[in-house]
């Protein structure tokens, strides 16, 4: 099967969040399935273009129309030896030579351009894919443009649209429809939601299949609390909505080979391995060295939807106990300021690291006993999967992918973590106490939970197969 995968970011080329990880791993997993050929498209942001470690060759140049605009497209291809996975970059310095990838005033036009350029590139290089897999609002116009402008050349291609986060929908003024997208009035209803042109709504209506990154989130976004206004649209199109939980790259998230760790370890010797890492991290962060104190870790954006209201609320109470709390990340100033105050009066128990540091992240995953992730909503979440690989027991809000990937400990031999069912401080504290109780008083059960967590299959094999089932259903 010929699969075109397109997103606004993909590691290792460019990554700002979880989408970047998925757009690296999933195309690669799909390309290793026999009979598949995968083509990944990305914008040629200056960070990619100027990176000497990303060798590319120029393929050709042409133009695309955005209504009255005629815009240049330079098509570049990543030089790689992989036969079944090719990567193309769409070059246009007017749109992509910027100091950041998102958050520009003309993002709507930039990604409308990108979406049209992807389709035009396929025509120019003579590829008719079986499936075009689009991700999030930045590529949401592809199904619409395919329908409106590329029926003759690419009309047989089926489209899949994956929602990684329904919060960002791609909103523009009503005049955008004709003036930028070059679409006729017959598309207005399809693309209008409230007073705006809404790219994501368009993709939900026009795609052959819609997916999101966990089964639970697929159910949740039918409700207003989770859907940021789009619940009626989701509900109406629930017949073509599926949930496929993400994986992580097992080679990149492996405590037995991660070079950032003080000592490597596996499921066979985790107790000793985690203990040594914990001692080293306590020394490095200036915390009292004590391998027996339960260390609670978080590597997260410090924002509301990751549950930081609750963290700020419970921190002082939690820190009265014999625990250590280690947080790494950046985010909203208001939360950062509250946490700074709490940290300054709890220096021996709380290490707050307001930065991004991937080596420190690895050390926290490896050294902590408990991984805290009380997200208000979580389409899938990747950190709980990484934590489990490192034998760190997750305590999570039972929402979205957190519910689907963290199996609550049943008091006997089953489970990989602990969860709470309702987003509030007392339920979170209660879940933490249930977890701490096992850690402190029942080492045998604790070791079983850690082993279960480390053995959880978070590889991409299963999700890649599930996506293939969806593609096959459409193509048949
Ligand atoms: C978004 C979601 C996150 C998910 C990621 C990859 O960042 O917020 O839950 O894991 O996309 O799908």
């Amino acid at each position: 099967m010929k699969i075109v995968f397109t997103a606004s970011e993909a590691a290792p080329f460019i990554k700002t969040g979880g989408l970047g990880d998925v757009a690296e791993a999933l195309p690669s997993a799909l390309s290793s399935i026999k009979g598949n050929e995968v083509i990944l498209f990305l914008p040629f942001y200056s960070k990619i273009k100027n990176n000497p470690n990303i060798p590319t060759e120029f393929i050709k140049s042409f133009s695309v129309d955005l209504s009255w605009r005629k815009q240049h497209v330079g098509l570049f291809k990543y030089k790689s030896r992989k036969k079944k996975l090719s990567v193309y970059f769409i070059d246009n310095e007017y749109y992509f030579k910027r100091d950041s990838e998102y958050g520009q005033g003309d993002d709507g036009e930039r990604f409308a351009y990108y979406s049209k350029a992807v389709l035009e590139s396929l025509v120019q290089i003579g590829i008719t894919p079986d499936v075009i897999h689009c991700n999030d609002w930045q590529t949401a116009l592809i199904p619409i443009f395919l329908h409106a402008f590329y029926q003759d050349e690419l009309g047989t291609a089926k489209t899949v649209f994956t929602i990684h986060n329904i919060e960002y929908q791609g909103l523009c003024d009503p005049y955008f429809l004709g003036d930028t997208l070059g679409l006729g009035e017959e598309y207005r209803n399809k693309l209008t939601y409230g007073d705006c042109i809404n790219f994501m709504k368009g993709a939900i209506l026009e795609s052959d299949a819609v997916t999101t990154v966990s089964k639970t989130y697929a159910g949740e976004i039918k409700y207003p609390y989770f859907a940021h206004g789009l619940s009626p649209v989701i509900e109406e199109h629930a017949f073509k909505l599926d949930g496929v939980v993400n994986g992580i790259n097992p080679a990149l998230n492996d405590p037995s080979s991660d070079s950032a760790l003080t000592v490597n370890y596996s499921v066979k010797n985790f107790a000793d391995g985690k203990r040594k890492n914990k001692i080293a991290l306590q020394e490095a962060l200036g915390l009292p060295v004590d391998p027996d104190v339960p260390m609670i870790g978080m590597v997260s954006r410090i924002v509301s939807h990751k549950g930081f209201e609750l963290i700020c609320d419970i921190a002082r109470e939690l820190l009265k106990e014999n625990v250590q709390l280690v947080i790494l990340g950046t985010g909203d100033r208001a939360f950062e300021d509250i946490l700074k105050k709490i940290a300054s009066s709890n220096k021996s128990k709380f290490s707050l690291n307001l930065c991004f540091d991937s080596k420190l992240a690895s050390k926290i995953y490896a050294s902590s006993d408990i991984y805290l992730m009380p997200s208000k909503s979580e389409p899938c979440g990747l950190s709980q999967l990484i934590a489990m690989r490192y034998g760190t027991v997750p305590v999570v809000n039972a929402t979205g992918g957190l519910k689907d990937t963290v199996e609550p400990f049943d008091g006997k031999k089953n489970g990989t973590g602990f969860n709470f069912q309702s987003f509030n401080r007392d339920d979170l504290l209660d879940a933490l106490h249930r977890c701490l109780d096992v850690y402190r008083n029942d080492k045998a059960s604790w070791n079983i939970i850690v082993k279960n967590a480390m053995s959880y299959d978070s590889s991409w094999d299963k999700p890649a197969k599930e996506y293939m089932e969806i593609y096959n259903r459409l193509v048949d």
Side-chain angles (χ1 to χ4, degrees):
M1 190 177 293
K2 255 198 193 100
I3 302 156
V4 165
F5 195 93
T6 171
S8 56
E9 58 179 83
F13 308 108
I14 187 99
K15 173 185 145 177
T16 71
L19 171 64
D21 291 311
V22 174
E24 173 182 31
L26 178 55
S28 164
L30 289 167
S31 73
S32 63
I33 293 175
K34 206 169 164 243
N36 283 351
E37 189 188 331
V38 182
I39 300 145
L40 170 67
F41 276 92
L42 288 172
F44 211 14
Y45 302 112
S46 6
K47 264 185 218 148
I48 303 180
K49 196 168 177 177
N50 300 333
N51 183 339
N53 300 321
I54 304 178
T56 56
E57 57 181 309
F58 172 73
I59 302 295
K60 69 192 282 192
S61 69
F62 42 91
S63 65
V64 286
D65 301 332
L66 280 183
S67 184
W68 48 270
R69 302 165 190 76
K70 210 171 232 347
Q71 301 294 30
H72 163 84
V73 182
L75 189 64
F76 286 77
K77 190 176 181 193
Y78 179 52
K79 283 192 191 156
S80 121
R81 259 176 268 150
K82 288 193 178 144
K83 286 222 169 63
K84 298 290 173 191
L85 175 62
S86 22
V87 184
Y88 286 94
F89 299 106
I90 303 284
D91 183 40
N92 178 309
E93 296 202 342
Y94 170 63
Y95 289 124
F96 299 132
K97 190 178 170 186
R98 307 279 175 104
D99 41 22
S100 69
E101 290 69 47
Y102 313 121
Q104 311 278 326
D106 59 347
D107 275 3
E109 182 177 325
R110 294 171 71 224
F111 289 104
Y113 159 80
Y114 172 63
S115 297
K116 200 146 182 213
V118 167
L119 292 170
E120 185 59 34
S121 300
L122 292 174
V123 175
Q124 294 286 339
I125 53 180
I127 291 179
T128 310
D130 298 297
V131 171
I132 306 179
H133 190 154
C134 311
N135 296 273
D136 276 353
W137 73 268
Q138 294 91 342
T139 52
L141 291 169
I142 288 180
I144 302 276
F145 286 150
L146 176 66
H147 187 257
F149 303 118
Y150 289 94
Q151 277 310 297
D152 291 347
E153 299 99 327
L154 305 171
T156 53
K158 301 292 181 193
T159 47
V160 176
F161 178 65
T162 296
I163 301 170
H164 294 264
N165 192 340
I166 204 165
E167 190 171 345
Y168 310 106
Q169 300 170 2
L171 305 182
C172 290
D173 282 333
Y175 76 87
F176 204 82
L177 184 83
D179 180 73
T180 308
L181 306 184
L183 292 167
E185 282 304 308
E186 68 276 19
Y187 282 93
R188 186 164 301 278
N189 269 343
K190 228 173 226 178
L191 278 159
T192 300
Y193 199 64
D195 300 331
C196 298
I197 294 297
N198 185 314
F199 294 9
M200 192 176 268
K201 179 191 167 192
I204 295 168
L205 266 66
E206 197 65 58
S207 301
D208 297 298
V210 179
T211 72
T212 183
V213 287
S214 67
K215 295 247 183 306
T216 294
Y217 192 64
E220 287 172 340
I221 55 177
K222 288 174 199 151
Y223 298 97
Y225 178 83
F226 292 99
H228 294 270
L230 279 184
S231 52
V233 180
I234 293 288
E235 207 174 2
E236 202 183 322
H237 295 86
F239 66 91
K240 58 174 170 182
L241 176 66
D242 254 307
V244 180
V245 88
N246 291 329
I248 51 174
N249 185 329
L252 293 181
N253 299 285
D254 186 353
S256 70
S257 59
D258 187 337
S259 63
L261 306 193
T262 304
V263 291
N264 292 113
Y265 61 93
S266 72
V267 71
K268 295 201 184 88
N269 59 349
F270 66 84
D272 186 50
K274 286 185 70 70
R275 199 179 166 87
K276 287 186 174 137
N277 279 292
K278 193 201 273 185
I279 293 173
L281 185 63
Q282 287 169 328
E283 276 166 2
L285 297 178
L287 292 167
V289 173
D290 174 1
D292 294 321
V293 64
M295 183 183 276
I296 303 169
M298 287 184 85
V299 177
S300 174
R301 275 180 303 127
I302 301 184
V303 294
S304 166
H305 99 254
K306 295 288 177 188
F308 273 87
E309 283 104 334
L310 301 191
I311 300 295
C312 290
D313 192 347
I314 66 157
R316 285 185 200 278
E317 196 172 327
L318 179 66
L319 292 168
K320 285 187 188 137
E321 297 182 37
N322 183 28
V323 296
Q324 289 180 350
L325 178 62
V326 180
I327 297 181
L328 169 67
T330 57
D332 287 352
R333 271 294 288 281
F335 291 128
E336 291 186 358
D337 288 345
I338 297 173
L339 292 172
K340 267 192 224 163
K341 273 206 189 114
I342 302 173
S344 70
S345 49
N346 288 280
K347 288 205 176 79
S348 63
K349 290 188 175 179
F350 182 12
S351 166
L352 177 64
N353 305 275
L354 296 174
C355 57
F356 183 76
D357 177 340
S358 63
K359 289 211 163 64
L360 181 56
S362 280
K363 290 182 203 292
I364 294 173
Y365 283 120
S367 310
S368 303
D369 303 290
I370 298 168
Y371 189 80
L372 193 52
M373 197 163 173
S375 308
K376 201 180 272 175
S377 79
E378 195 61 75
C380 177
L382 302 172
S383 347
Q384 83 279 17
L385 300 175
I386 302 174
M388 287 197 281
R389 287 273 294 165
Y390 284 75
T392 304
V393 174
V395 173
V396 302
N397 180 20
T399 185
L402 296 176
K403 184 170 181 191
D404 295 356
T405 57
V406 178
E407 188 196 336
F409 178 54
D410 66 356
K412 296 179 193 105
K413 292 209 166 335
N414 302 303
T416 58
F418 294 80
N419 69 20
F420 58 104
Q421 307 280 340
S422 155
F423 185 75
N424 68 74
R425 69 179 308 276
D426 295 321
D427 286 31
L428 164 58
L429 266 179
D430 182 63
L432 261 172
H433 283 138
R434 278 184 274 126
C435 178
L436 284 165
D437 181 48
V438 179
Y439 178 86
R440 289 177 180 137
N441 304 316
D442 184 357
K443 269 281 164 309
S445 295
W446 185 261
N447 289 339
I448 290 172
I449 304 172
V450 173
K451 266 188 207 151
N452 291 347
M454 292 186 83
S455 318
Y456 176 83
D457 178 10
S458 51
S459 75
W460 273 97
D461 300 348
K462 193 161 155 268
K465 277 189 197 120
E466 289 180 44
Y467 280 111
M468 284 311 295
E469 278 166 26
I470 295 171
Y471 301 161
N472 280 319
R473 208 159 64 217
L474 298 179
V475 171
D476 291 347

